[in-house]
Amino acid sequence: TCKDRLSMANSMFWFMAAPALIYHSITATLALGASVESRWTAGSHHSVEFQRAYVALQIVASCVELIKSGSFQSKIPMLAHHVLSCFCYVGALLTGRMHFFAVLDGCCETTTIFVSFLQMSRMEGGGIDEWTKSDPVGKKAHLVNGGLLWLSFVVFRLVLFTVVLVVFGHDALVLPPQIWDKVSAVELTVNPAVTVFLLILSVGWFKKIHVGLVKALSGKADKSR
């Protein structure tokens, strides 16, 4: 049996929930990105569904993070990620503004599928760990997942968050007065600051992913796992 059932259940849950989040975020991004006005003031069924689901999932994830083993200090970055993201999304749901930036940021959940699989493959006793270590197909699946995780992190986090900040800054400079007067100082400062925080976190995570992929490609990963 799996030694860390809570973490395994959490990873499996996110692995299954991620496709729905990705669908809603990408669909809403395509629908709301046509103009400055739609990016700042419009919403859609998909943008609302994404943010509601995301907030609910992050509340559960925060509870899991607090309960699972490990020092509280090591949990601070992830807890900050959960809390700050929820703060911005709840604000967007309440005001009806900036749904585009919420769902564009949310496209980063594309990486969750590959992260969840990687986490499950590292949990002793869950079955996936043995499959990816001993079965030829499992070994290939593990390597392919690592490559897709690396690629998705570049596209859907490092590049994506940079694009979000560039579009946000551009729009803020040309924002019509009637929209500018409605937007709060919190929306203009905290929202982009959280994206910067997520970008910094992602850079740190990507370094570990890159090292892990290099080891896997060189054949050293099997010895260390």
Side-chain angles (χ1 to χ4, degrees), residues 1-55:
T1 58
C2 183
K3 292 186 176 181
D4 191 349
R5 295 183 179 182
L6 180 62
S7 294
M8 175 61 80
N10 184 57
S11 295
M12 291 180 67
F13 181 69
W14 276 98
F15 184 80
M16 294 183 290
L21 293 176
I22 296 166
Y23 168 71
H24 284 302
S25 62
I26 292 179
T27 302
T29 297
L30 294 175
L32 300 175
S35 67
V36 173
E37 289 75 13
S38 64
R39 289 195 290 270
W40 286 70
T41 63
S44 70
H45 164 74
H46 291 290
S47 68
V48 171
E49 287 300 307
F50 168 79
Q51 291 176 93
R52 285 176 175 173
Y54 186 88
V55 170

Side-chain angles (χ1 to χ4, degrees), residues 1-220:
T1 58
C2 183
K3 292 186 176 181
D4 191 349
R5 295 183 179 182
L6 180 62
S7 294
M8 175 61 80
N10 184 57
S11 295
M12 291 180 67
F13 181 69
W14 276 98
F15 184 80
M16 294 183 290
L21 293 176
I22 296 166
Y23 168 71
H24 284 302
S25 62
I26 292 179
T27 302
T29 297
L30 294 175
L32 300 175
S35 67
V36 173
E37 289 75 13
S38 64
R39 289 195 290 270
W40 286 70
T41 63
S44 70
H45 164 74
H46 291 290
S47 68
V48 171
E49 287 300 307
F50 168 79
Q51 291 176 93
R52 285 176 175 173
Y54 186 88
V55 170
L57 289 168
Q58 291 292 5
I59 291 173
V60 174
S62 297
C63 294
V64 171
E65 193 70 28
L66 289 170
I67 295 171
K68 74 178 188 180
S69 60
S71 66
F72 181 76
Q73 185 175 0
S74 67
K75 300 176 182 180
I76 290 177
M78 188 58 71
L79 287 171
H81 166 275
H82 297 331
V83 172
L84 291 172
S85 297
C86 285
F87 176 82
C88 293
Y89 284 149
V90 169
L93 287 170
L94 291 175
T95 64
R97 292 190 292 268
M98 299 177 68
H99 280 211
F100 169 79
F101 295 103
V103 294
L104 183 57
D105 266 338
C107 291
C108 74
E109 292 304 319
T110 301
T111 64
T112 300
I113 295 176
F114 311 114
V115 170
S116 298
F117 183 86
L118 178 63
Q119 291 172 337
M120 291 187 288
S121 72
R122 290 179 171 177
M123 294 179 195
E124 186 178 349
I128 298 178
D129 62 325
E130 285 299 322
W131 180 63
T132 56
K133 286 179 183 178
S134 58
D135 188 277
V137 176
K139 289 181 179 181
K140 290 180 180 179
H142 186 265
L143 187 59
V144 170
N145 182 78
L148 292 174
L149 175 59
W150 188 97
L151 181 61
S152 66
F153 241 79
V154 171
V155 176
F156 289 101
R157 284 188 176 271
L158 305 185
V159 174
L160 176 68
F161 292 146
T162 302
V163 169
V164 171
L165 293 170
V166 170
V167 174
F168 186 96
H170 169 270
D171 283 0
L173 293 175
V174 299
L175 207 60
Q178 64 271 22
I179 298 178
W180 181 269
D181 292 340
K182 295 179 180 179
V183 179
S184 68
V186 171
E187 291 171 298
L188 289 171
T189 56
V190 175
N191 287 4
V194 170
T195 299
V196 171
F197 174 68
L198 295 178
L199 178 57
I200 293 172
L201 276 183
S202 297
V203 169
W205 292 334
F206 180 73
K207 290 180 180 178
K208 297 179 181 179
I209 291 169
H210 180 74
V211 171
L213 180 61
V214 170
K215 286 183 178 180
L217 291 174
S218 64
K220 297 179 180 179

